[in-house]
Amino acid sequence: MTEGIAQFHRVAKAVAAAAKAVGDAGKAAAQVPPDPQAVQAACDKAVEGLAKIAGIERVADSLRSELARRASAAREELERERALLAGAVAQMLGREGLRVEGNLPTLRAGALALDFTFGTKGLCTVWLGPRITRLATCPLEATAIAARVVELDRTLFRGEFDEGVFLEDLWQAYRGATHRLGLAEGERVPLTTLLAQMAFLRQKPTFLVDPRRELFTPYGRVEFAADLSRLKSRSVGGRELRLDVATMAQTKRPEDHLWVPRGADGVRYATASFVRAPR
């Protein structure tokens, strides 16, 4: 292929020279009145230049075929490397109890999605759900990707979780929200309003005494959604938690809904309420 490229460069230079000669011939013929001697000299030079590029189609076709073959081979090698990377990540996560599904460029591991971007600035972006919330970015290296995914999965879905305490806190958050909004018990409250109340309940005494940023314990949409997804029971103190699926209009703004992992796609909820369980 090296010789073919060199030959093409030589022909390309000849084409550029011929193009200039043809242009000069055109300018000479356009003079008013034309100078026959200048026209003859310019046209002869143009004819000579055009003769030098005879066979350019053959050179170009030969090089095109070789480049197409090389591109195809390189593409197959890239696809093989990418498949090996995805396979290595899946194997490492499988050893940690995380089943990987899907096809490149996007894989799923539980409630997390791994979005691979290949190229000069290749990376793997880890999302909660189908591009709901960006959690992390990693270089395209299997060990780094697997370690980050395992860390996020353990933090969000496998860490210590007391369902009873969470439901009691959620009930207290609901009571606070209904009082603030002037609602009666049993009425629906926006989940994002409950989130704000829950975040306040998660604060340590040091923050409550001196509410400064460095003393704040983060508790946001991701953590709240993950905790809701871990509930197996929804009953607390004779009341039952009810979550209402968001309408299409409510899903357009993040402040009107919350995506909660449920199965492969998850569910977008808008409001919640506690109602007295039937006796």
Side-chain angles (χ1 to χ4, degrees):
M1 189 174 74
T2 302
E3 176 55 32
I5 292 175
Q7 185 179 10
F8 183 79
H9 279 307
R10 289 194 294 271
V11 175
K13 289 179 181 179
V15 169
K20 183 177 184 307
V22 169
D24 291 342
K27 291 177 183 177
Q31 292 295 319
V32 180
D35 180 348
Q37 184 175 348
V39 171
Q40 178 197 346
C43 288
D44 283 344
K45 187 173 182 181
V47 169
E48 182 183 351
L50 289 169
K52 291 181 179 179
I53 63 173
I56 185 174
E57 296 89 350
R58 176 184 56 78
V59 174
D61 284 345
S62 175
L63 184 57
R64 178 185 58 78
S65 297
E66 177 62 15
L67 290 172
R69 187 186 68 79
R70 291 294 183 95
S72 178
R75 189 178 300 110
E76 290 178 1
E77 178 63 19
L78 280 174
E79 290 175 356
R80 188 183 70 84
E81 290 178 358
R82 292 168 182 176
L84 288 173
L85 172 64
V89 171
Q91 188 176 38
M92 292 177 186
L93 292 179
R95 289 198 291 264
E96 298 294 334
L98 278 170
R99 180 183 176 187
V100 176
E101 300 175 300
N103 299 296
L104 289 175
T106 303
L107 304 177
R108 295 191 310 275
L112 304 178
L114 286 64
D115 195 7
F116 290 81
T117 302
F118 298 103
T120 54
K121 296 183 179 180
L123 53 82
C124 176
T125 304
V126 184
W127 300 82
L128 175 67
R131 286 178 169 262
I132 301 298
T133 305
R134 189 198 310 268
L135 300 178
T137 57
C138 311
L140 292 180
E141 198 279 312
T143 303
I145 295 170
R148 194 72 178 98
V149 171
V150 168
E151 177 189 8
L152 288 167
D153 180 71
R154 285 177 176 170
T155 300
L156 294 173
F157 302 105
R158 302 197 192 191
E160 183 179 343
F161 180 69
D162 190 317
E163 186 177 70
V165 170
F166 176 78
L167 280 169
E168 180 61 35
D169 286 347
L170 194 57
W171 161 241
Q172 294 301 327
Y174 175 77
R175 289 183 61 193
T178 53
H179 177 75
R180 187 162 66 86
L181 296 174
L183 300 175
E185 181 182 324
E187 292 192 72
R188 295 180 175 90
V189 171
L191 268 180
T192 50
T193 301
L194 287 183
L195 169 59
Q197 295 286 328
M198 289 290 286
F200 184 77
L201 291 173
R202 290 290 183 272
Q203 301 313 306
K204 298 176 181 177
T206 51
F207 176 81
L208 301 179
V209 171
D210 187 11
R212 289 182 289 121
R213 181 172 59 184
E214 56 268 29
L215 299 178
F216 181 77
T217 300
Y219 187 78
R221 295 175 68 91
V222 170
E223 292 80 9
F224 190 34
D227 285 345
L228 286 171
S229 75
R230 300 177 72 179
L231 286 177
K232 292 182 174 59
S233 169
R234 295 188 180 184
S235 298
V236 56
R239 296 172 178 82
E240 182 178 291
L241 169 67
R242 293 186 179 175
L243 298 173
D244 306 297
V245 177
T247 64
M248 185 66 71
Q250 289 171 321
T251 62
K252 296 184 183 301
R253 302 196 312 165
E255 56 266 40
D256 292 335
H257 77 281
L258 181 73
W259 184 88
V260 177
R262 283 278 190 275
D265 299 321
V267 180
R268 297 175 188 267
Y269 293 110
T271 56
S273 59
F274 277 91
V275 298
R276 292 191 177 276
R279 296 182 178 275

